[in-house]
């Protein structure tokens, strides 16, 4: 039998390309303790105190273990309000890794979205994306715009084993842009033109579709379409390095290219990006907007000052910019990425072997349980993915997160639940934090829940906030 | 007569950061590159950085140790609990929501409480605060006492609210049009001037007499950014508070309000962080909903766990009487040297900065030629000391597009907490005194780039004439 290829399920690099320098104690709780704790927080794992959790897979955002070099960077942070040398270090790192000359730091990714969208989105605008993440959608809607998902149909098929399920549907993109009201220079608007589109976004990797990558060919073609229609194209680059590594593994012609070069090529097709440094920046806090157009930069700085901070610190301590600059260099390391993608794939393989239904192929930062196949008997109105999340916590002290109906929220026009096509529990793997032994515990927990899935009960809201309800909602068991 | 004791720092230095003196030629080049705006200078080109006291503090070893105990869980971090407890213990507010810094808290509070057409009275504007109030549809109304606008007039509590002005506004627009009274302690734009306890008590009492139609009295919200420094001034200057611990004074101050916004980057002694606090459950509920859109989950609010821990520890350190005595004493040390040399400064010296009175300093430069901006630029060229304009440029334009020409035209020399020694203060004093002697050489400036909002941050300037100190400027 052929041994699995790098990055595919079953493949594993020999060991972590780092050793542990500092540890943080974690504690196992007892089942009765967890029963009590989950009831107190209204069956929403977001409400759990961190010390009540044994293995925390709530998010890969801001939970990374920083390197000793990054910690050393924290100590040389320049806390000057204006002109901090740590800002210039960040600017150099962004130029070196991404190729953008202009950077506005922000306290994290959603703040970058807030600043950029406040600059560019007007009420009534439509923003196409392969698939909007929850905060991205909220910011577009907060500005009075409409968030349009144009990901390929493949993304909605949980078992289609395809290499680039995060791709944007080029045909849909072309048709959407053809409906732009603003005529391309020298032409009349097309008949039936009814959309105002300030820019197109592509999220790499595509989080809401299970951390699935976007191919270089897809980016290149999307860029060509946008250029032809004179619409700027931006990346949500939170997991750009993981995406670049998938291109190296899976796309013909890239197998021997350095990840750094692949990342540079990805960014060469776009006008700028928003970045959550808390993912592929390998930091606990930080983000930025990177741009080429000085005019957009100038306009965005005005909002950055109002919402975040002066453009040379953007609501971050100087030390955090220094750590992010160092993290951007570390994240494109080939050995690190091989470990990272392999680590997530290892959990995916263990689950698959145990018969746990997951989204395939396994993405870059998380394994997604397919709640509709896991709990086929629970109706969607009873939030099966939320119920499964609760059960994983009760069983093993493992905290995942619902990516399904609760997260999707209600349609602002009708007030009805938006039932997304996928109902998932995300087990996001923090970077460089847990060992394979921790992942074995997670797989065992999932397996035991699967064995008694017939006993699981659904949930109903007892408190439902109007915006981003998943964070603070409370439930009761039916 | 009581013996005057010299005060030394109540701490020793545990870690240092090198700074470099530049040459005059280098500084001339750098100032031109920065468009005569000290905000745009690169930090390595600054010798002594008095741009701001915000986020520039030296943290203690205890705070750094706290940084190592950061719990970076997205939800339910233990550091959030420590911060919550610290706010409850020291400020006395029931609910707390962290934000990445003070303006994040102002943004949330303004969006939640202010409706279009509302009026927000306050003891003098602050740039970002007013911007957020106006964006939410409110109109800021200045209700500080008149003395606050007079740089040379001495008054122990120049930040006080003018109760007559506040009462008149309430009579005119009615309590329903006033979502809250915003009381800054201390008042930054007046020169770091404190508010007395008697005044806070009276504001509370006045607001309590005017009920809104929902039956509630008019809210009082503090901009508590420099609340510990304000408490120290009360201890030193107000009848009945001498000898009372700052910690108890601060609790009493906060008891006269319904909540606060806080920039942790000032009195909480951290490099990043802030929060909004309230005693009202419904306001807190709205905060938790809005904070996820702009900041982060209510249990981290856009901060790393370690930063919440450092802020929780800083909250306890800020109410240490010895620390505050040295802190306020160091600012006064600089101020008194300048007064002795006849340099016009805002009096009395405030809590966090010495403010040069640029109108008196450069009385030959009309306000339309930005005398404070020119003076800040001159100070940098002379000694590599970076101050900040707080005058016509900072005040911006009104809704009609006209410059506001504020009564105070100041250069702020803000002293970071626990960072510089009194020897650094001596270098600053020498340079300012030297420039005062040569003041006729400093000419006015013109704007060459002006952003639409908060223009002082990124505007660019050039001298009107290439004479005197500006002879080096390349055409």
């Amino acid at each position: 039998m052929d041994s699995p290829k790098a990055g595919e399920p079953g493949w594993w690099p020999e060991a972590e390309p780092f050793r542990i320098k500092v540890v943080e104690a974690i504690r196992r709780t007892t089942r009765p303790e967890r029963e009590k704790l989950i009831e107190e927080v209204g069956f929403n794992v977001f409400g759990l105190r961190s010390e009540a959790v044994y293995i925390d897979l709530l998010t890969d955002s801001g939970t990374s273990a920083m390197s000793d070099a990054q910690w050393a960077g924290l100590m040389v942070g320049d806390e000057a309000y204006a002109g901090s040398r740590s800002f210039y270090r960040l600017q150099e790192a962004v130029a070196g890794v991404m190729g953008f000359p202009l950077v506005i730091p922000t306290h994290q990714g959603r703040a970058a979205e807030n600043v950029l969208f406040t600059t560019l989105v007007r009420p009534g605008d439509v923003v196409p994306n392969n698939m909007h993440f929850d905060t991205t959608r909220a910011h577009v809607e907060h500005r009075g715009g409409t968030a349009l998902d144009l990901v390929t149909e493949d993304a909605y098929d949980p078992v289609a084993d395809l290499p680039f399920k995060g791709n944007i549907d080029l045909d849909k993109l072309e048709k959407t842009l053809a409906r732009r009201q603003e005529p391309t220079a020298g032409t009349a608007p097309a008949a039936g033109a009814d959309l105002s589109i300030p820019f197109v976004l592509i999220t790499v990797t595509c989080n809401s579709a299970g951390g699935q990558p976007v191919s270089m060919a897809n980016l290149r073609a999307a860029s060509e379409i946008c250029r032809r229609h004179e619409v700027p194209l931006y990346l949500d680059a939170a997991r750009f390095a993981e995406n670049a590594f998938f291109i190296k593994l899976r796309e013909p012609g890239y197998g021997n290219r350095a990840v750094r070069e692949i990342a540079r090529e990805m960014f060469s097709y776009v006008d700028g990006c928003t970045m959550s440094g808390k993912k592929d920046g390998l930091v606990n806090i930080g983000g930025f907007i990177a741009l080429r157009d000085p005019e957009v930069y100038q306009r965005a700085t005005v909002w950055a000052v109002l919402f975040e901070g002066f453009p040379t610190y953007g609501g971050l301590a100087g030390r955090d910019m220094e750590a992010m600059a160092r993290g951007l260099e570390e994240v494109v390391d080939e050995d690190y990425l091989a470990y990272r993608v392999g680590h997530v794939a290892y959990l995916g393989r263990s689950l698959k072997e145990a018969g746990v239904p997951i989204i395939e192929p396994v993405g870059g930062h998380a394994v997604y349980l397919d709640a509709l196949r896991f709990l086929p008997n629970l109706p969607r109105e009873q939030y099966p993915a939320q119920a499964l999340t609760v059960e994983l916590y009760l069983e093993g002290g493992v905290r995942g997160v619902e990516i399904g109906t609760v997260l999707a929220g209600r349609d602002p026009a009708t007030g009805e639940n938006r039932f997304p096509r996928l109902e998932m529990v995300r087990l996001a793997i923090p970077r460089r934090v847990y060992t394979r032994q921790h992942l074995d515990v997670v797989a065992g927990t999932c397996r035991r829940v699967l064995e008694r899935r017939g006993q699981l009960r659904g949930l109903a809201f007892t408190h439902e906030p109007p915006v981003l309800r998943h964070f603070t909602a409370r439930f009761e068991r039916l | 007569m009581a013996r005057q004791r010299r005060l030394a720092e109540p701490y020793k230095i545990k870690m240092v950061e090198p700074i470099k003196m530049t040459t005059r030629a280098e500084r001339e080049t750098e100032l031109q590159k920065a468009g005569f705006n000290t905000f745009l200078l690169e930090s390595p080109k600054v010798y002594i950085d008095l741009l701001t006291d915000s986020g520039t503090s030296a943290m203690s070893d205890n705070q750094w140790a706290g940084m190592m105990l950061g719990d970076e869980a997205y939800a339910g971090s233990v550091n959030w609990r420590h911060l919550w407890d610290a706010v409850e213990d020291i400020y006395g507010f029931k609910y707390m929501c962290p934000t990445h810094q003070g303006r994040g808290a102002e943004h949330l509070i303004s969006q939640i409480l202010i409706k279009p057409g509302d009026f927000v009275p306050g003891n003098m504007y602050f740039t970002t605060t007013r911007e957020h109030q106006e964006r939410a549809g409110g109109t800021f109304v200045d209700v500080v006492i008149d003395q606050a606008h007079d740089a040379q007039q001495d008054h122990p509590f120049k930040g006080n609210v003018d109760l007559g002005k506040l009462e008149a506004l309430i009579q005119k627009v009615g309590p329903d049009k006033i979502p809250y009274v915003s009381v800054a302690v201390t008042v930054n734009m007046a020169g770091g001037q404190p508010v007395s306890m008697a005044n806070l008590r009276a504001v509370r009492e006045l607001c309590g007499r005017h009920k809104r139609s929902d039956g509630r009295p008019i809210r009082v919200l503090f901009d508590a950014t420099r609340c510990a420094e304000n408490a120290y001034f009360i201890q030193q200057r107000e009848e009945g508070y001498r000898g009372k611990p700052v910690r108890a004074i601060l609790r009493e101050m906060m008891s006269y309000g319904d909540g606060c916004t806080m920039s942790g980057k000032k009195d909480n002694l951290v490099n990043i962080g802030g929060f909004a606090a309230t005693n009202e459950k419904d306001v807190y509920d709205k905060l938790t909903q809005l904070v996820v859109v702009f900041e982060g989950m209510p249990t981290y609010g856009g901060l790393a766990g370690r930063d919440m821990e450092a802020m929780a520890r800083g909250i306890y350190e800020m109410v240490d009487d010895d620390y505050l005595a040295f802190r306020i004493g160091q600012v006064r040390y600089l101020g008194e040297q300048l007064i002795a040399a006849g340099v016009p400064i805002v009096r009395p010296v405030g809590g966090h900065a010495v403010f040069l009175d640029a109108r008196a300093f450069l009385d030959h430069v009309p306000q339309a030629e930005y005398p404070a901006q020119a003076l800040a630029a001159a100070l940098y060229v002379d000694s590599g000391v970076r101050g900040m304009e707080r005058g016509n440029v900072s005040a911006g334009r009104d809704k009609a597009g006209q410059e506001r020409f504020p009564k105070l035209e100041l250069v702020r020399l803000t002293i970071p907490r626990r960072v510089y020694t009194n020897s650094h203060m001596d270098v600053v004093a020498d340079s300012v005194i030297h420039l005062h002697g040569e003041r006729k050489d400093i000419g006015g400036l013109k704007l060459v780039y002006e952003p639409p909002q908060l223009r002082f941050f990124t505007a660019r300037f050039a001298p009107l004439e290439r004479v005197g100190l500006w002879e080096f400027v390349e055409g």
Side-chain angles (χ1 to χ4, degrees):
Chain A
M1 197 180 108
D2 286 346
S3 54
K5 281 188 298 186
E8 299 305 325
W11 169 82
W12 174 255
E14 295 196 348
E16 289 90 347
F18 51 79
R19 56 183 175 187
I20 298 167
K21 200 151 186 170
V22 179
V23 299
E24 179 178 359
I26 48 177
R27 195 174 75 86
R28 290 205 81 140
T29 45
T30 62
R31 171 112 196 178
E33 278 181 88
R34 294 195 291 274
E35 290 277 4
K36 191 165 158 284
L37 289 163
I38 196 76
E39 198 158 344
E40 277 171 16
V41 298
F43 299 95
N44 183 350
V45 294
F46 272 106
L48 287 170
R49 290 201 195 177
S50 148
E51 62 263 37
V53 178
Y54 177 42
I55 298 176
D56 199 350
L57 308 186
L58 181 68
T59 179
D60 63 323
S61 178
T63 51
S64 302
M66 293 204 294
S67 67
D68 54 356
Q70 286 179 293
W71 274 103
L74 286 187
M75 300 302 294
V76 296
D78 177 357
E79 305 303 342
Y81 194 86
S84 161
R85 67 175 176 269
S86 304
F87 166 76
Y88 295 102
R89 280 277 294 119
L90 176 63
Q91 200 176 41
E92 278 167 31
V94 171
V97 173
M98 297 179 161
F100 297 112
L102 303 170
V103 183
I104 302 172
T106 58
H107 79 276
Q108 62 184 36
R110 78 189 69 181
E113 291 173 347
N114 182 32
V115 170
L116 188 67
F117 296 2
T118 304
T119 308
L120 298 178
V121 180
R122 286 164 308 171
D125 280 359
V126 171
V127 179
N129 192 336
N130 47 348
M131 221 167 165
H132 284 83
F133 190 61
D134 58 345
T135 58
T136 320
R137 175 180 299 278
H139 281 296
V140 171
E141 290 175 356
H142 187 79
R143 294 292 301 157
T146 304
L148 193 62
D149 289 346
L150 298 181
V151 74
T152 55
E153 279 301 305
D154 299 332
Y156 298 107
D157 181 348
V159 290
D161 197 347
L162 296 165
F164 293 107
K165 281 167 89 172
N167 281 355
I168 195 163
D169 187 317
L170 297 168
D171 189 44
K172 284 187 196 160
L173 179 63
E174 176 75 55
K175 285 186 178 134
T176 305
L177 294 190
R179 285 169 61 195
R180 280 182 80 227
Q181 285 166 327
E182 298 86 345
T184 304
T187 65
D194 56 350
L195 300 182
S196 170
I197 301 175
F199 58 89
V200 174
L201 259 179
I202 294 183
T203 309
V204 290
T205 59
C206 188
N207 188 10
S208 301
Q212 301 294 334
V214 177
S215 73
M216 193 72 90
N218 190 252
L219 278 177
R220 197 182 299 126
S223 166
E224 191 276 319
I225 293 170
C226 289
R227 203 153 302 172
R228 195 149 33 73
H229 289 279
E230 298 182 347
V231 179
L233 175 63
Y234 290 92
L235 286 187
D236 174 344
R239 299 178 182 86
F240 76 96
E242 289 165 8
N243 198 96
F245 193 70
F246 280 120
I247 289 175
K248 182 183 173 97
L249 291 177
R250 297 180 183 172
E251 194 158 347
Y254 288 93
N256 293 321
R257 297 270 300 277
V259 170
R260 259 189 103 99
E261 273 176 52
I262 296 172
R264 278 298 285 266
E265 184 181 339
M266 285 167 58
F267 288 113
S268 75
Y269 297 126
V270 300
D271 298 284
C273 70
T274 57
M275 176 74 191
S276 168
K278 296 170 70 170
K279 284 88 176 183
D280 273 356
L282 292 170
V283 289
N284 305 120
I285 196 72
F288 56 82
I289 302 168
L291 296 164
R292 292 186 213 288
D293 184 344
E295 191 260 336
V296 177
Y297 170 80
Q298 199 66 256
R299 283 163 56 204
T301 53
V302 173
W303 295 109
V305 163
L306 186 62
F307 293 122
E308 292 298 300
F310 190 66
T312 60
Y313 78 89
L316 287 173
R319 59 175 170 265
D320 294 318
M321 293 190 284
E322 188 73 41
M324 186 154 59
R326 293 174 186 217
L328 281 175
E329 302 281 348
E330 290 179 15
V331 81
V332 289
D333 180 89
E334 313 258 338
D335 288 344
Y336 158 72
L337 282 167
Y339 147 75
R340 165 71 179 159
V341 169
H343 196 54
V344 177
Y346 172 81
L347 176 61
R349 183 184 60 156
S350 309
L351 290 172
K352 218 183 153 191
E353 282 173 1
V356 176
I358 60 169
I359 307 293
E360 291 181 80
V362 172
H365 66 289
V367 176
Y368 291 70
L369 307 185
D370 183 350
L372 294 180
R373 281 189 292 142
F374 202 114
L375 299 173
N377 297 325
L378 276 194
R380 307 244 356 224
E381 292 75 16
Q382 295 184 15
Y383 311 110
Q386 184 74 19
L388 182 52
T389 307
V390 166
E391 210 55 36
L392 291 177
Y393 174 69
L394 285 173
E395 180 63 40
V398 173
R399 172 156 71 173
V401 66
E402 195 256 17
I403 307 266
T405 305
V406 178
L407 175 70
R410 293 182 186 272
D411 188 300
T414 67
E416 292 300 313
N417 266 328
R418 290 189 271 219
F419 291 110
R421 294 166 72 173
L422 296 175
E423 189 81 32
M424 306 181 287
V425 175
R426 186 181 76 176
L427 303 175
I429 318 295
R431 293 168 181 79
R432 307 193 288 207
V433 170
Y434 293 113
T435 68
R436 281 173 88 175
Q437 280 63 48
H438 291 118
L439 298 188
D440 290 343
V441 171
V442 174
T445 300
C446 293
R447 183 174 45 73
R448 287 195 302 280
V449 173
L450 184 71
E451 281 163 6
R452 52 176 184 80
R453 62 174 145 176
Q455 303 159 20
L456 262 61
R457 283 181 290 160
L459 299 169
F461 277 105
T462 59
H463 165 69
E464 185 182 352
V467 193
L468 298 176
R469 61 180 180 177
H470 56 290
F471 283 128
T472 49
R474 295 177 70 87
F475 301 85
E476 63 186 0
R477 267 190 173 142
L478 290 167
Chain B
M1 200 177 126
R3 181 172 151 215
Q4 190 80 25
R5 278 187 187 275
R6 275 175 195 265
L7 270 183
E9 290 86 345
Y11 47 80
K12 57 184 176 180
I13 298 167
K14 199 150 187 171
M15 196 193 301
V16 300
E17 178 178 3
I19 49 177
K20 199 170 84 65
M21 186 70 188
T22 45
T23 65
R24 186 173 182 108
E26 276 179 279
R27 293 193 295 275
E28 289 173 355
T29 309
E30 293 300 323
L31 186 68
Q32 289 180 83
K33 266 167 57 186
F36 283 71
N37 185 346
T38 53
F39 266 104
L40 299 178
L41 290 166
E42 293 182 19
S43 154
K45 304 295 181 191
V46 175
Y47 176 43
I48 298 174
D49 199 348
L50 307 186
L51 184 69
T52 178
D53 63 325
S54 178
T56 52
S57 302
M59 292 204 294
S60 67
D61 54 356
N62 179 48
Q63 287 178 293
W64 274 105
M67 298 276 291
M68 298 303 294
L69 298 173
D71 173 359
E72 306 303 345
Y74 196 79
S77 164
V78 67
N79 309 124
W80 169 79
R81 170 55 59 183
H82 294 164
L83 179 60
W84 178 288
D85 291 345
V87 170
E88 201 175 17
D89 190 16
I90 299 295
Y91 294 78
F93 293 116
K94 284 188 201 145
Y95 306 99
M96 183 282 305
C97 182
T99 59
H100 78 281
Q101 61 181 26
R103 76 190 71 178
E106 289 174 350
H107 178 218
L108 299 180
I109 287 288
S110 301
Q111 290 291 324
I112 289 168
L113 295 178
I114 301 173
K115 295 185 305 296
D118 279 353
F119 295 85
V120 186
N123 52 347
M124 217 160 177
Y125 84 101
F126 186 68
T127 50
T128 54
T129 317
R130 186 178 62 195
E131 192 75 29
H132 282 297
Q133 291 166 353
E134 289 179 352
R135 261 178 56 81
T139 302
F140 169 80
V141 182
D142 189 356
V143 295
V144 76
I145 57 172
D146 286 335
Q147 289 95 322
H149 292 286
D150 183 344
Q152 299 304 324
Q153 200 168 331
D154 231 319
H155 185 295
F157 293 104
K158 250 174 138 171
N160 278 356
V161 172
D162 185 322
L163 298 162
K165 286 183 193 168
L166 180 56
E167 174 102 53
L169 178 73
I170 297 170
Q171 297 297 351
K172 192 170 146 215
V173 305
D176 282 338
K177 286 271 177 218
I178 301 177
Y180 58 91
V181 179
S182 171
V183 182
V185 287
T186 61
V187 182
N188 190 4
M189 297 304 267
Q193 301 295 338
V195 181
S196 73
M197 192 73 88
N199 189 250
L200 292 178
R201 209 178 291 124
V203 168
R204 178 50 143 196
E205 197 270 321
L206 175 61
C207 288
R209 273 193 279 121
H210 294 278
K211 299 279 192 294
R212 296 160 57 88
S213 49
D214 61 6
R216 291 180 179 180
I218 298 173
R219 274 188 204 89
V220 177
L221 293 185
F222 293 114
D223 176 348
T225 296
R226 298 180 181 85
C227 57
E229 290 169 5
N230 197 104
Y232 181 76
F233 280 118
I234 289 175
Q235 185 195 61
Q236 296 299 308
R237 296 180 185 171
E238 192 160 348
E239 197 65 45
Y241 289 93
R242 189 92 207 172
K244 212 171 172 189
V246 163
R247 193 170 161 158
I249 296 172
L250 179 59
R251 269 304 279 267
E252 185 183 341
M253 285 168 60
M254 294 294 116
S255 75
Y256 300 128
D258 300 288
C260 74
T261 57
M262 181 77 200
S263 168
K265 296 170 69 172
K266 285 85 175 184
D267 268 1
N268 291 353
L269 295 163
V270 289
N271 304 122
I272 196 71
F275 60 83
T278 175
N279 285 329
E280 298 172 275
K281 176 78 166 65
D282 53 342
V283 173
Y284 176 66
D285 286 343
K286 286 181 190 150
L287 275 170
T288 59
Q289 286 159 18
L290 206 57
V291 72
V292 293
V293 182
F294 295 105
E295 299 290 311
M297 272 279 286
T299 57
Y300 78 90
L303 288 173
R306 59 174 170 266
D307 294 318
M308 290 191 285
E309 186 65 37
M311 189 153 61
R313 293 175 184 218
I315 285 173
Y316 284 96
E317 293 181 15
M318 79 171 174
V319 288
D320 180 279
D321 291 275
D322 289 342
Y323 153 70
L324 282 164
F326 181 77
R327 159 73 180 156
I328 305 287
Q330 184 175 48
V331 177
R332 195 178 54 230
Y333 173 81
L334 173 60
E336 281 172 357
Q337 283 196 63
L338 297 179
I339 291 171
V343 176
I345 66 168
V346 174
R347 300 170 74 161
V349 177
H352 65 293
V354 172
F355 291 72
L356 306 180
D357 180 354
R359 272 218 285 207
F361 199 116
L362 299 181
D363 53 9
H364 58 287
V365 178
Q367 202 173 5
E369 296 175 8
Y370 312 112
Q373 191 76 31
L375 182 54
L379 183 60
Y380 174 72
V381 170
D382 187 65
S383 58
V385 171
R386 168 154 76 170
M388 183 200 289
E389 195 265 7
R390 291 271 95 152
N392 194 13
V393 180
S394 294
R397 294 180 185 274
D398 61 21
K399 282 172 185 163
Q402 297 302 308
E403 289 194 323
R404 286 183 161 111
F405 294 115
K407 288 181 191 156
L408 295 178
E409 178 78 22
L410 310 174
V411 173
R412 191 178 77 173
L413 303 175
T414 337
I415 318 297
R417 294 169 181 78
R418 308 193 289 206
V419 170
Y420 293 112
T421 67
N422 283 1
S423 308
H424 292 117
M425 296 301 111
D426 292 342
V427 171
V428 175
D430 286 352
S431 178
V432 173
I433 292 164
H434 168 75
L435 283 176
H436 190 241
E438 315 271 306
R439 59 188 177 273
K440 295 294 173 210
D441 271 355
I442 305 171
L445 303 175
K446 62 183 179 201
L447 269 164
V448 295
Y449 162 69
E450 183 178 2
Q453 269 124 354
L454 299 175
R455 61 179 184 173
F456 59 96
F457 278 128
T458 52
R460 300 180 71 85
F461 302 84
L464 286 161
E465 289 177 89
R466 284 167 55 198
V467 295
L469 193 69
W470 307 138
E471 237 172 359
F472 66 85
V473 174
E474 289 145 22

